[in-house]
């Protein structure tokens, strides 16, 4: 679960989200 | 065999009967036999995720379905979703939302003219962040020239991953539940983000 509830968290966690997506898509 | 061990470890302490362990294990083996046959038959099948389709359809290869609240929230979730969509599209994931520029100019500067307006409490986003690809939340823009195809639950079967944009209200929403069920039916991986 990735927290994007604030701008700061969005900036910090979106790269994590992207990395996870890349991993899931192989 | 691993499943059997797990079942044994889990169930054995809960057994109240005084059965001999060997008899118990034999019964357990009988019970899991149908599961084993299902596993074997599944292994003989082609990958059943839409990856088979996706390989032949590059449009779906990076299609990410976003599940989010369409109902009224305490704050405008749509803006946060649009922001997320922009980042995903900028990083070559497809969300089904096509943003076309009237000027047909592919430069990053021109992208700023059709970015969604972000309503944020603070502007702590660093526009130089690489994943933003030119995204600048301080720019007030309009979405009126966007060409958008709204994704619906029927598109879930074609996605590679579903991102569930959870809010406390959406978590209790029937719509959310339905899309999660569809995701389960089509065996799509799920990423949960909190908005």
């Amino acid at each position: 679960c990735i927290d994007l509830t604030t701008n700061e968290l969005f900036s910090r966690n979106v790269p994590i989200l992207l990395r996870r997506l890349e991993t899931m898509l192989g | 065999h691993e499943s059997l061990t797990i079942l044994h470890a889990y169930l054995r302490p809960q057994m109240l009967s005084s059965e001999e362990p060997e008899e118990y294990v034999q019964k357990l083996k009988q019970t899991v036999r149908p599961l084993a046959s299902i596993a074997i038959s599944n292994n003989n099948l082609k990958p059943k995720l839409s990856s088979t389709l996706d390989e032949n359809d590059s449009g779906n290869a990076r299609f990410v379905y976003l599940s989010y609240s369409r109902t009224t929230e305490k704050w405008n979730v749509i803006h946060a979703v649009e922001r997320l969509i922009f980042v995903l599209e900028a990083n070559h994931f497809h969300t089904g939302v096509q943003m076309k520029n009237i000027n047909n100019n592919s430069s990053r500067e021109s992208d700023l003219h059709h970015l969604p307006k972000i309503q944020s409490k603070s502007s702590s986003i660093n526009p130089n962040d690489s994943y933003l690809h030119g995204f600048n939340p301080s720019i007030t823009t309009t979405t009126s020239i966007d060409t958008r195809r709204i994704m619906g639950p029927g598109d879930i079967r074609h996605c590679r991953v579903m991102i569930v944009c959870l809010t406390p209200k959406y978590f209790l929403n029937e719509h959310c539940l339905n899309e999660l069920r569809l995701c389960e039916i089509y065996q799509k991986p799920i990423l949960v983000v909190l908005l």
Side-chain angles (χ1 to χ4, degrees):
Chain A
C1 185
I2 300 172
D3 193 341
L4 304 179
T5 51
T6 66
N7 278 329
E8 188 178 358
L9 288 169
F10 190 96
S11 295
R12 190 198 306 163
N13 291 339
V14 158
I16 296 172
L17 171 69
L18 295 174
R19 280 199 297 276
R20 283 194 193 170
L21 278 175
E22 292 288 359
T23 304
M24 293 167 95
L25 298 190
Chain B
H1 290 290
E2 286 176 10
S3 301
L4 192 62
T5 305
I6 292 168
L7 272 174
H8 185 269
Y10 179 74
L11 292 175
R12 188 73 183 93
Q14 300 182 43
M15 296 290 289
L16 298 176
S17 68
S18 58
E19 283 182 306
E20 292 296 319
E22 183 59 31
E23 186 184 352
Y24 164 73
V25 170
Q26 287 305 321
K27 282 184 178 178
L28 206 53
K29 282 181 179 175
Q30 294 290 335
T31 307
V32 299
R33 189 163 292 165
L35 297 176
S37 62
I38 289 171
I40 290 168
S41 63
N42 278 352
N43 285 338
N44 292 332
L45 296 174
K46 300 280 183 189
K48 54 194 163 191
L49 296 177
S50 57
S51 56
T52 308
L53 263 178
D54 296 338
E55 285 169 4
N56 300 324
D57 184 357
S58 59
N60 286 341
R62 294 173 68 83
F63 173 35
V64 177
Y65 181 88
L66 271 85
S67 175
Y68 58 92
S69 175
R70 270 85 165 175
T71 56
T72 308
E73 294 275 348
K74 285 182 180 175
W75 59 288
N76 198 342
V77 170
I78 300 300
H79 286 291
V81 172
E82 286 183 333
R83 187 172 160 196
L84 185 57
I85 286 171
F86 182 85
V87 173
L88 291 172
E89 293 279 345
N91 286 275
H92 314 295
F93 294 102
H94 306 298
T95 60
V97 178
Q98 298 170 342
M99 297 185 176
K100 289 186 179 175
N101 191 341
I102 277 179
N103 297 326
N104 199 25
N105 186 337
S106 60
S107 72
R108 288 184 178 179
E109 287 73 18
S110 68
D111 288 344
L112 295 175
H113 295 297
H114 63 279
L115 290 177
K117 178 184 176 184
I118 302 300
Q119 294 176 343
S120 53
K121 296 173 197 168
S122 63
S123 56
S124 58
I125 288 179
N126 179 2
N128 294 322
D129 284 346
S130 59
Y131 66 89
L132 290 173
H133 289 279
F135 179 82
N136 185 346
S138 64
I139 303 283
T140 299
T141 59
T142 176
T143 58
S144 59
I145 61 171
D146 292 348
T147 303
R148 290 168 180 258
R149 186 190 158 215
I150 305 300
M151 293 289 110
D155 295 297
I156 290 175
R157 64 178 300 185
H158 300 299
C159 76
R160 293 290 305 277
V161 177
M162 183 165 97
I163 295 180
V164 184
C165 303
L166 271 190
T167 61
K169 192 171 179 180
Y170 189 50
F171 185 59
L172 303 173
N173 192 293
E174 183 87 8
H175 183 79
C176 176
L177 192 60
N178 286 339
E179 298 205 338
L180 287 174
R181 280 182 184 141
L182 283 172
C183 223
E184 190 176 9
I185 289 170
Y186 294 123
Q187 301 183 2
K188 304 294 182 180
I190 299 174
L191 262 178
V192 179
V193 301
L194 293 178
L195 294 184

